[in-house]
Amino acid sequence: MDERLRETLSAMMDDEADELSVRRLLSHENQADVRDQWQRWQQVRDLMHENHGPSYGVDLAGAVREALDGQERPAPVAERARTVAVSYWRWPVAAMVVMALVVGFGAGAGWDAQPDEMTDVLASAGIDSRNPALLPSAVEEVALQRLDEQQLRQMRQYLLEHAQHNSVGAGRGSVGYARLVSASGGY
Amino acid sequence: MVRGLTLLALAYLLSVPGAYAQAPGEVGNAPQTEQAMAWLERLGPALNMTSYQGVFVYARGDQVHSMRIAHRFRDGRVEERLVMQDGGSGEIVRRGMNVVCVLPDQGRIRLDEVIPSGPFAEAFTSQLMPFGQWYLPELVGEDRVAGYDVVTVALTPKDEHRYSHRLWLEKSTGLLVKSHVRDVDGAVLEHFQFTSLEITDDIPDAEFEIQTRGREITRSLDIEAARQSPVGRMSGWTLNWQPEGFVPAAVPRSGKGKAVAFSDGLAAFSVFVEPVTGLKMPTGASRIGATTVYMRELSVADRPFLIAVVGEIPPGTARKVADAVSIDDEMARGWSARDH
C-alpha cells in the first residue's frame, strides 16, 4: 500500500479524509491490504484509549443503517460534529456502506468514537511545538517543523545512534527494535 | 567499578524475598517492592530465552509502527525474524550472531542504518542494572494483554531527573508484553504493546526464513570488538554532572564513535560532542514522545562545538546534562589546527 493510501486511512480515523481519497482507497486493488492496515490503526487507537478491543462508542453498522434510512445520526455524534471544524467531510452513505463491507462491521466499530480525544492524545504525546508551556521555562523549544532538510537529517542521525545505544544500555528487547525503526523512519 | 558492584549487591539484597524480615501481617509496600524486583530480575533472561511469535505496536510522538516478530530460543541460540507491518516491506532475520536484513525497495525505513549494532546488540548485555536504587518498583496489579495474564510493575523515579515506567510482564515467562514511559503527570509518552502474541516452542522453521525479495545486506555481530571496548570514552571533553545512577553504558562500536551512552538500567541518554561544521543547528529541546533531543553550542578557543543530548529523559534533565559538558582546550585547539 502506498503512502497516500495510508494517509487516507489515517485521515479517515480522524474523520478528516476527503471524498476523492476515500474513493481511491475503496477502489484499491488489494482490499485485504486495506483491511489489515485499517485494523492495525484501529488497534493502535484502541491502545491509546487503554481499551482492549473495539468495545466503546458508536457501532458502525448502526450508523450505516440509520444513514440509509435517512434518519438522524445518534445525538452524541451530531453534537461532536458541531464542536469540530465544519470543514470535516461527513461520510456519504455509499462510501460508508462500501467501507463497512470492506473492513467488516467488527473492525470498523468505534471509528466514530472520540476522534477528538484521540487527536489530543497524539498531540500531547507528540512534538509539543504548539505547547511550549509544557516545557520547563528554562528550556527553549525547538520545533522540528521549522528545521530544514539537512537539520532534520542530522537530528535523525542523533536519534538513530542513540537508539542503537539504547537497545544495549536498557536491554528491553522488542522496545529496542521499535525505537530503532521509529528513529530511522521519522526524522 | 567498585561502586557498580556495591550497587549491584544492594539491588540483589533488595530483590531476594526474605532478605530482610517481614513480620507476619505487617502492612506496607516492602513486599510489593520485593515482588516487583523479583519480576524485573526475570525480564532480561525472558527477552532472549522465551520462544514466541506475535505482532507489536510502538507509538511515540506522531509515529506509529507495527512489527511482526518470531523469536525462538533453541540449543542456546536465538533465532529471530522481524517483519515491518507498515511503511515498507523490510525484514530482519537473525540466527545467533548472523544478521540478514532485507531492505524495502522503497519507503522510509532504512534498515541498513540499523544493522548491525542495533537490536541484536542486546546479546552483549549480561546483567540487570541496579535500577532499584533510582526507581521505586511496585507491583501494582494484574491484567490481561494479548490474551495472556500479566503482572504490572510500576517504576516511579525517586528524583525529578527521570520519567516513570510501567511494565507488563507475562506471568509464566516474565516476557515484556507491554510498556509505557510516562511523565510526572502520568501522561503516556511512549507506548509499546503486543497486539497479538503466542508464547510457544512450536514455531515452524519457515517462520525464520527470509521471504521478502530485495537487496540483502549480511553482517555478523563482532562480539570480540565489543568486548575489547565495552565502554564508550569521553575523549577531549568531560561531563561534570549527570543524574545519579547514570553510568557509561557498554556499546558496540557504531556510527562515528563520538557519542557516549549513559544508562541507569531503565532509561538511557547519549551525549554527542562535535565541532560545528557547515551545518548550523538550533539551540533548545525537541521532543518525540519520551525522547528528548537537546542541543547547544559551546565555543572553546574560538572554535564552535555542538553538544547534543538525546535520550528518554525529561527536557530539563537533558538541558542540565548538556550544560555540564566542558570541552578541553587541547581538543578545541587540535580541531582548529586541523582546519587551518
Side-chain angles (χ1 to χ4, degrees), chain A residues 181, chain B residues 66-68 82-86 88-92 109 111:
Chain A
V181 171
Chain B
S66 77
M67 278 173 251
R68 174 174 295 281
L82 277 116
V83 184
M84 309 306 141
Q85 296 292 289
D86 43 26
S89 56
E91 59 182 289
I92 306 172
I109 298 173
L111 297 169

Side-chain angles (χ1 to χ4, degrees), chain B residues 22-208:
Chain B
Q22 191 78 41
E26 185 181 328
V27 279
N29 284 332
Q32 283 196 345
T33 302
E34 278 177 33
Q35 284 174 27
M37 279 308 290
W39 277 106
L40 293 171
E41 292 253 305
R42 295 177 63 182
L43 173 61
L47 285 172
N48 273 325
M49 291 161 72
T50 310
S51 294
Y52 58 92
Q53 55 184 346
V55 175
F56 63 82
V57 165
Y58 172 80
R60 73 169 172 189
D62 58 356
Q63 306 174 18
V64 177
H65 295 278
S66 77
M67 278 173 251
R68 174 174 295 281
I69 186 171
H71 181 108
R72 181 165 72 179
F73 186 73
R74 207 165 64 174
D75 306 326
R77 193 172 78 148
V78 171
E79 290 175 287
E80 207 161 34
R81 176 162 167 263
L82 277 116
V83 184
M84 309 306 141
Q85 296 292 289
D86 43 26
S89 56
E91 59 182 289
I92 306 172
V93 174
R94 165 193 180 191
R95 286 195 190 88
M97 286 293 128
N98 272 320
V99 179
V100 176
C101 170
V102 184
L103 299 168
D105 41 6
Q106 56 180 27
R108 298 179 306 164
I109 298 173
R110 293 170 54 193
L111 297 169
D112 53 336
E113 294 178 11
V114 172
I115 301 298
S117 53
F120 310 113
E122 74 193 57
F124 299 125
T125 54
S126 54
Q127 62 200 16
L128 185 73
M129 293 265 292
F131 51 71
Q133 295 296 300
W134 305 286
Y135 299 87
L136 175 68
E138 276 176 300
L139 207 56
V140 291
E142 301 187 355
D143 200 351
R144 272 177 80 78
V145 174
Y148 283 89
D149 288 331
V150 297
V151 294
T152 312
V153 176
L155 290 140
T156 311
K158 295 177 178 175
D159 57 37
E160 75 279 13
H161 303 306
R162 297 154 237 263
Y163 285 129
S164 67
H165 297 252
R166 199 160 273 227
L167 309 174
W168 283 256
L169 308 175
E170 197 275 324
K171 270 188 176 175
S172 62
T173 59
L175 184 69
L176 180 73
V177 293
K178 177 177 170 179
S179 73
H180 279 173
V181 180
R182 302 181 182 198
D183 68 12
V184 70
D185 300 319
V188 178
L189 304 175
E190 182 188 284
H191 190 132
F192 161 86
Q193 181 174 346
F194 274 98
T195 51
S196 73
L197 177 66
E198 190 189 359
I199 297 174
T200 172
D201 288 327
D202 187 25
I203 306 174
D205 291 349
E207 287 296 322
F208 300 95

Side-chain angles (χ1 to χ4, degrees), chain A residues 55-98:
Chain A
S55 56
Y56 54 80
V58 183
D59 85 299
L60 179 69
V64 172
R65 261 195 311 275
E66 285 180 30
L68 284 172
D69 293 345
Q71 291 171 0
E72 293 232 340
R73 305 284 297 277
V77 176
E79 254 169 48
R80 191 182 53 72
R82 275 200 297 276
T83 61
V84 300
V86 235
S87 61
Y88 289 178
W89 177 70
R90 305 306 307 174
W91 292 87
V93 174
M96 281 186 80
V97 173
V98 179

Side-chain angles (χ1 to χ4, degrees), chain A residues 6 40 47 50 125 127 135 140 142 151 156 158 160 162 164-168 171 177-180 182 187, chain B residues 47 58 60 62-63 66 80 85-86 113 118-119 125 180 190 193 250 270 274 280 285-286 289 310 312 315:
Chain A
R6 274 164 43 80
R40 280 194 295 273
L47 292 179
E50 289 287 310
I127 310 147
L135 278 176
E140 196 180 333
V142 174
Q151 290 173 324
R156 211 188 73 171
Y158 285 144
L160 190 63
H162 166 67
Q164 293 177 345
H165 298 153
N166 199 6
S167 65
V168 178
Y177 293 118
R179 284 196 179 127
L180 281 163
S182 177
Y187 302 97
Chain B
L47 285 172
Y58 172 80
R60 73 169 172 189
D62 58 356
Q63 306 174 18
S66 77
E80 207 161 34
Q85 296 292 289
D86 43 26
E113 294 178 11
T125 54
H180 279 173
E190 182 188 284
Q193 181 174 346
S270 304
E274 292 169 343
K280 185 87 176 165
S286 283
V310 185
E312 285 66 46

Side-chain angles (χ1 to χ4, degrees), chain A residues 14 35 37 45 47 49 83 88 95 107 124 128 130-131 137 148 154 156 161 165 170 184:
Chain A
D14 293 336
R35 186 171 56 240
Q37 187 69 48
R45 191 159 129 172
L47 292 179
H49 286 294
T83 61
Y88 289 178
S124 69
D128 282 304
R130 292 145 299 179
N131 199 351
S137 53
D148 64 29
Q154 180 63 58
R156 211 188 73 171
E161 272 196 51
H165 298 153
S184 60

